[in-house]
Amino acid sequence: MDSRPSLGSLFILLGLISLLVKCYSSSEDNMKTYIVYTGKIINDEASSLIIYQNMLNQVAESNSTSKSVLYHYKRSFSGFAAKLTVEEARRMAGLDGVVSVFPNEKRQLLTTRSWDFIGFPEYVEREYNEYDVIIGVIDSGIWPESESFDDKGYGPPPSKWKGICQSSDFTCNNKIIGARYYRNDYGEDFLKNNILSPRDTTGHGTHTASTAAGNPVSRTSMLGLGHGTTRGGASSARIAVYKVCWSDECQDVDILAAFDDAVIDGVDILSVSIGGKSDDSIHFMDAFSVGSFHAMKKGILTVLAAGNFGPKSSSLTNFSPWAISVAASTMDRKFVTKVKLGDNKIYEGTSLNTFDLQGELWPIIYAGDAPNKEAGFDKDSSRNCSANSLDIKLVKGKILLCEDRIGPSEAYRVGAVGVLVQGQKSLDTANSFPLPGCYLHSKDAAKVHKYIKSRRNPVATIFKTYESNDTLAPMAASFSSRGPNNATPEILKPDLTAPGVDILASWSPMSPISQFHGEKRKLEFNIVSGTSMSCPHVSGAAAYIKSFYPTWSPAAIRSALMTTAKQMSPEKNHDAEFAYGAGQVDPMKALNPGLVYDADEEEYIRFLCGQGLDMSMLLQITESIINCSERGYMIPRDLNYPSFAFKVQRPKHHLNASSKRTVTNVGLAMSTYRAFVTAPKGFNISVTPDLLSFTSLGEKQTFILTINGKMKKSIGSASLIWDNGKFQVRSPIVVFDERAVNGASLYRINYLYIVIFNLLFYITIIG
Ligand SMILES: *[C@@H]1O[C@H](CO)[C@@H](O)[C@H](O)[C@H]1NC(C)=O
Ligand SMILES: *[C@@H]1O[C@H](CO)[C@@H](O)[C@H](O)[C@H]1NC(C)=O
Ligand SMILES: *[C@@H]1O[C@H](CO)[C@@H](O)[C@H](O)[C@H]1NC(C)=O
Ligand SMILES: *[C@@H]1O[C@H](CO)[C@@H](O)[C@H](O)[C@H]1NC(C)=O
Ligand SMILES: *[C@@H]1O[C@H](CO)[C@@H](O)[C@H](O)[C@H]1NC(C)=O
Ligand SMILES: *[C@@H]1O[C@H](CO)[C@@H](O)[C@H](O)[C@H]1NC(C)=O
């Protein structure tokens, strides 16, 4: 017998092996979506697609699934997105004409008193031009039927508008003049929770768009709370919708595609309430930095949410120096929910409780005393009211005391009458629960627990929420991300702050008002919190400024907003300027800044050269071939920014540094400004020259600010004010050492509550 396999069977065997290898290894699991930047090499679309397909064929591993271009970036950047293996991505990066290849990252999404609180009444002087200003909102889409977006009284879109309405389930109107959506790929379940349309099924995008540019809608409230008129900052501006966030996530490839379109469509301001993780890229090469750079080149200001990762230091997610990063702060309205025990003691909690127990006392039980033993829970593991941890028989019909924020979902499952959640120290946001309830300060929760233990039949009731005056406002919100930023600590970020706590605005009635299980209430208006909510306040303010000064650069608009912002107290706000930047936005004052700190593309390129970026990184961000030795290298301290930040290397180290700035006269043709400067303890600050005389509008003058001394505490706050008797042009100055960076944050232990709330609330779509 011949023991050798026949040639035929060998082939079959080889075929089987290769088939197995194919089935096994070409699984989609090894593939990731990458963005491939090609720089400006190709012009016409058909030929560039052929070239891209060729590149994909060249790098494809033999066992890989066939490759195709998922996205073709062609309008303001050049490049494409495709699914590649790690090896293919490596090969791709080595091809001629490829600038860089980077993996797609997933991002997160980050309300009527607010405008009045910042001194911007409904009937302000408005430019007729405001109808010509278009705010692009990159978010989770929009609820077009909302009254906030009614187009009564609006003429046709401005002639510069080149966008489209990519919707099958609604038509755009003269208020929402464009709408697109982006999603490069999705699984089977995706369509169960999403509609392939710019329609917003989550509420987030509707909320942000209405805050930036919604029409005034009177007599709105969330089931009676926050009653008043809701309105956008630029209430007659147009809205262009770019939906990139879905029920699960927002992705870089989609965000980049949205920027690519928006810039060419003709938007004036971009409002982006989305963020990544705080430890993301420090090279300005994420979708937000690249997208906003291109926008800046075209004269479009991008307004970004700073992030919801505070109060931890260095927790910013967005800090590109060509965009604005907006922190969140409180306003003078807070929501208070009272709890009364059988002993007549009353505690004040926080929530948006619209359910009425009518003062009736119900039995109250501590979650630790009601473990679901059948499911393996005991006293310790049921305290937090995690999923399935409680015994229905013991809790049903009672008020429940939980030790964790996730409690309301489980409380609803087991049929509790109400829920009290032990909060941490920071109770600065009010949440909706699917049943009567509130957060209690941990020391109050401890007293409630003590009362429960001390009685045979403990009882309690929870009252409806009422509004009260928060006289401490504005304060930086605990969840708002703090600087200094990790990439360029000597550029102060966030830039400024705006109301972002308990904001009432339009909502998608397809989405429940809270993310807790059992929440069934679907409303057209909702109260939520986050830098996602503060960001569109600044977008609206920026659009307002733009309507008066259509030719101002993004940097000039930002400067006007920053130098006129309402000063906040470094003593009362932990992390001082790193929490609130230049202060709280004041749109009316920003109309008359007097002087502006302007900056153009060239300025940012020299800054990027100074950051040591190599040619390919520069090409990726700027889309131009940059020779840094010709352009020059700028240190961050000298970037023409409306704020100053100085880092002291070691706490005991003597700082002797200076910053150069140029101001442009936009106030009165003939005027003289004098410098008034304060210095933090331990420092001297001087300005030369300290007198600037202007004889015409648009005239520029340069000065040097010099600082000398030693740190007394980890953050020192001061300011420079140029004053001509009519305008005060204020720049914050902050000096800090590594203690401020490493975050000896007093609030750190208290920080989870807000963050998890945000995860619950906003990640699912953002926040
Ligand atoms: C293709 O095969 C190689 C070698 O067996 C393996 O390293 C690679 O991961 C495979 N590629 C895919 C897409 O599975
Ligand atoms: C309960 O919640 C606290 C605070 O969030 C957490 O530290 C603890 O680990 C949780 N305990 C259990 C058993 O999940
Ligand atoms: C809250 O109190 C301050 C100071 O007393 C007052 O100026 C403000 O108008 C009050 N706000 C509301 C909403 O009543
Ligand atoms: C950059 O410019 C310098 C000065 O003009 C020149 O010497 C150098 O060759 C240029 N570098 C590149 C890579 O073009
Ligand atoms: C600061 O540095 C400058 C130049 O490096 C020097 O002329 C000046 O004397 C220094 N000032 C102090 C107080 O050290
Ligand atoms: C600040 O300047 C004054 C007067 O020139 C000088 O006496 C003092 O030592 C300086 N302080 C610091 C911290 O450099």
Side-chain angles (χ1 to χ4, degrees):
M1 263 204 328
D2 195 343
S3 64
R4 288 175 307 170
S6 72
L7 213 54
S9 61
L10 191 64
F11 272 126
I12 291 167
L13 194 64
L14 276 176
L16 266 178
I17 290 172
S18 74
L19 199 67
L20 280 173
V21 167
K22 196 160 189 152
C23 292
Y24 176 68
S25 65
S26 69
S27 84
E28 292 267 314
D29 295 351
N30 296 333
M31 311 270 260
K32 230 188 134 169
T33 304
Y34 286 84
I35 299 167
V36 180
Y37 272 90
T38 53
K40 275 210 184 75
I41 47 165
I42 310 139
N43 291 321
D44 99 275
E45 176 164 2
S47 60
S48 56
L49 268 176
I50 294 169
I51 294 172
Y52 292 152
Q53 191 59 54
N54 263 332
M55 292 163 101
L56 284 170
N57 296 346
Q58 265 182 67
V59 302
E61 293 186 67
S62 54
N63 53 356
S64 170
T65 48
S66 69
K67 305 240 157 293
S68 59
V69 173
L70 293 174
Y71 267 119
H72 179 191
Y73 302 112
K74 53 187 180 291
R75 302 187 73 190
S76 60
F77 341 101
S78 301
F80 61 98
K83 279 200 181 333
L84 302 171
T85 65
V86 175
E87 171 60 19
E88 288 167 344
R90 198 191 58 76
R91 289 183 197 165
M92 183 65 81
L95 290 188
D96 270 355
V98 171
V99 176
S100 68
V101 177
F102 69 100
N104 177 30
E105 299 291 345
K106 312 215 152 135
R107 309 291 177 171
Q108 314 154 15
L109 274 175
L110 285 203
T111 22
T112 5
R113 170 84 189 129
S114 57
W115 291 111
D116 288 311
F117 178 63
I118 63 174
F120 192 60
E122 184 172 353
Y123 301 101
V124 291
E125 179 198 355
R126 289 195 186 269
E127 276 288 301
Y128 183 69
N129 286 341
E130 194 172 306
Y131 286 104
D132 290 339
V133 178
I134 304 165
I135 305 185
V137 185
I138 301 184
D139 208 300
S140 67
I142 202 155
W143 191 260
E145 290 80 10
S146 165
E147 260 186 279
S148 299
F149 313 124
D150 190 297
D151 72 346
K152 212 177 291 149
Y154 287 81
S159 55
K160 64 182 174 186
W161 177 244
K162 297 203 249 339
I164 59 163
C165 196
Q166 186 194 8
S167 63
S168 50
D169 60 350
F170 69 90
T171 48
C172 291
N173 61 16
N174 287 329
K175 177 72 179 178
I176 303 172
I177 58 172
R180 299 175 184 264
Y181 65 91
Y182 304 83
R183 178 72 183 199
N184 78 88
D185 66 343
Y186 48 84
E188 276 171 29
D189 283 348
F190 180 79
L191 290 175
K192 284 190 197 142
N193 304 313
N194 291 282
I195 306 177
L196 284 177
S197 149
R199 182 175 289 281
D200 178 17
T201 59
T202 67
H204 191 273
T206 302
H207 204 277
T208 57
S210 62
T211 302
N215 298 318
V217 184
S218 59
R219 293 190 298 279
T220 57
S221 71
M222 194 208 100
L223 300 171
L225 293 175
H227 194 91
T229 299
T230 59
R231 61 192 162 96
S235 54
S236 29
R238 320 287 182 133
I239 296 168
V241 178
Y242 299 88
K243 176 170 169 181
V244 298
C245 293
W246 303 81
S247 66
D248 52 353
E249 65 207 8
C250 339
Q251 296 187 18
D252 267 359
V253 280
D254 300 326
I255 295 166
L256 209 49
F259 269 105
D260 189 27
D261 283 334
V263 164
I264 303 295
D265 283 352
V267 305
D268 295 294
I269 306 286
L270 273 168
S271 187
V272 190
S273 293
I274 312 172
K277 298 188 292 286
S278 58
D279 52 357
D280 265 1
S281 154
I282 56 162
H283 291 297
F284 306 115
M285 296 206 291
D286 55 290
F288 306 99
S289 298
V290 172
S292 58
F293 192 94
H294 289 273
M296 176 274 298
K297 272 171 76 164
K298 294 271 184 346
I300 303 160
L301 174 63
T302 303
V303 185
L304 297 166
N308 296 341
F309 301 95
K312 195 167 164 269
S313 302
S314 299
S315 53
L316 293 169
T317 92
N318 287 312
F319 43 77
S320 301
W322 39 86
I324 300 195
S325 299
V326 186
S329 42
T330 58
M331 55 181 165
D332 61 355
R333 178 183 68 194
K334 66 175 174 187
F335 294 99
V336 179
T337 307
K338 283 188 174 166
V339 175
K340 192 172 95 178
L341 305 184
D343 63 3
N344 282 327
K345 293 248 166 57
I346 292 181
Y347 300 97
E348 283 189 3
T350 310
S351 67
L352 300 167
N353 178 36
T354 59
F355 300 105
D356 194 354
L357 293 179
Q358 296 181 325
E360 196 180 333
L361 293 165
W362 293 83
I364 178 168
I365 186 167
Y366 170 62
D369 297 335
N372 182 358
K373 289 190 177 134
E374 275 170 28
F377 289 88
D378 63 12
K379 195 171 175 60
D380 270 338
S381 54
S382 69
R383 285 185 304 156
N384 284 3
C385 305
S386 57
N388 215 28
S389 68
L390 299 176
D391 187 334
I392 297 181
K393 293 189 297 295
L394 295 173
V395 187
K396 197 170 167 59
K398 296 184 182 144
I399 291 176
L400 177 69
L401 172 65
C402 296
E403 288 192 21
D404 198 76
R405 306 155 301 281
I406 52 173
S409 290
E410 178 68 358
Y412 181 85
R413 187 189 71 87
V414 297
V417 164
V419 62
L420 302 177
V421 177
Q422 178 174 334
Q424 319 286 323
K425 209 172 186 178
S426 344
L427 285 171
D428 59 0
T429 67
N431 301 330
S432 296
F433 303 145
L435 69 171
C438 70
Y439 290 117
L440 284 180
H441 195 293
S442 50
K443 72 173 195 318
D444 291 338
K447 287 181 190 153
V448 174
H449 188 193
K450 205 169 154 201
Y451 162 80
I452 295 172
K453 279 197 296 193
S454 70
R455 301 291 159 113
R456 288 238 333 254
N457 296 306
V459 290
T461 194
I462 302 167
F463 294 100
K464 278 179 86 168
T465 298
Y466 66 96
E467 292 164 33
S468 103
N469 192 337
D470 182 355
T471 47
L472 295 175
M475 295 275 284
S478 55
F479 61 78
S480 186
S481 284
R482 266 54 171 187
N485 76 75
N486 292 320
T488 49
E490 291 198 314
I491 293 177
L492 175 61
K493 290 277 178 175
D495 293 297
L496 76 184
T497 187
V501 175
D502 304 340
I503 306 293
L504 176 75
S506 295
W507 194 251
S508 163
M510 274 185 81
S511 175
I513 58 169
S514 85
Q515 298 281 309
F516 292 108
H517 296 303
E519 181 65 81
K520 295 192 188 75
R521 292 169 296 171
K522 296 179 175 179
L523 303 173
E524 300 216 345
F525 291 88
N526 193 11
I527 297 174
V528 290
S529 304
T531 51
S532 284
M533 282 67 238
S534 60
C535 168
H537 279 88
V538 172
S539 312
Y544 179 66
I545 308 299
K546 180 95 184 172
S547 69
F548 284 81
Y549 309 108
T551 60
W552 279 15
S553 70
I557 295 175
R558 174 177 60 196
S559 178
L561 292 168
M562 285 172 70
T563 61
T564 58
K566 180 189 160 87
Q567 193 175 344
M568 286 174 59
S569 158
E571 285 77 34
K572 288 198 218 147
N573 288 277
H574 189 67
D575 289 334
E577 278 75 12
F578 290 122
Y580 53 72
Q584 180 184 267
V585 68
D586 186 341
M588 295 261 266
K589 273 184 105 182
L591 272 191
N592 295 297
L595 304 173
V596 292
Y597 294 79
D598 207 351
D600 58 8
E601 184 188 356
E602 191 57 35
E603 176 96 4
Y604 296 119
I605 286 176
R606 277 184 277 129
F607 158 81
L608 287 169
C609 285
Q611 289 293 295
L613 266 62
D614 65 27
M615 230 174 196
S616 83
M617 290 160 137
L618 283 166
L619 187 54
Q620 178 177 318
I621 300 170
T622 66
E623 282 274 299
S624 329
I625 307 237
I626 311 281
N627 180 341
C628 283
S629 51
E630 280 171 357
R631 306 290 186 109
Y633 302 84
M634 179 190 282
I635 57 167
R637 269 178 204 169
D638 284 339
L639 184 69
N640 204 34
Y641 219 75
S643 58
F644 298 83
F646 297 95
K647 182 168 184 221
V648 179
Q649 287 316 326
R650 290 180 305 282
K652 296 260 162 61
H653 207 249
H654 184 96
L655 175 75
N656 177 14
S658 60
S659 279
K660 191 171 122 185
R661 293 287 188 275
T662 300
V663 284
T664 307
N665 183 20
V666 296
L668 306 167
M670 303 278 287
S671 64
T672 300
Y673 287 83
R674 178 183 294 280
F676 292 89
V677 60
T678 62
K681 218 167 171 213
F683 290 89
N684 280 336
I685 299 181
S686 62
V687 175
T688 32
D690 62 358
L691 216 58
L692 300 175
S693 287
F694 296 88
T695 54
S696 64
L697 284 177
E699 187 182 341
K700 291 177 187 292
Q701 301 261 6
T702 293
F703 66 90
I704 311 265
L705 180 140
T706 307
I707 179 164
N708 257 294
K710 269 190 195 164
M711 292 305 290
K712 295 285 185 217
K713 33 181 212 175
S714 60
I715 299 175
S717 298
S719 68
L720 162 65
I721 300 172
W722 288 107
D723 192 335
N724 71 345
K726 186 168 164 52
F727 305 124
Q728 290 76 42
V729 190
R730 182 179 178 274
S731 289
I733 303 172
V734 57
V735 195
F736 63 101
D737 63 32
E738 72 248 14
R739 288 172 293 177
V741 182
N742 297 337
S745 183
L746 293 171
Y747 288 70
R748 194 171 242 179
I749 28 165
N750 308 318
Y751 128 82
L752 233 63
Y753 154 57
I754 302 291
V755 168
I756 298 221
F757 162 69
N758 285 329
L759 290 181
L760 272 172
F761 196 79
Y762 303 109
I763 272 193
T764 354
I765 80 158
I766 183 191

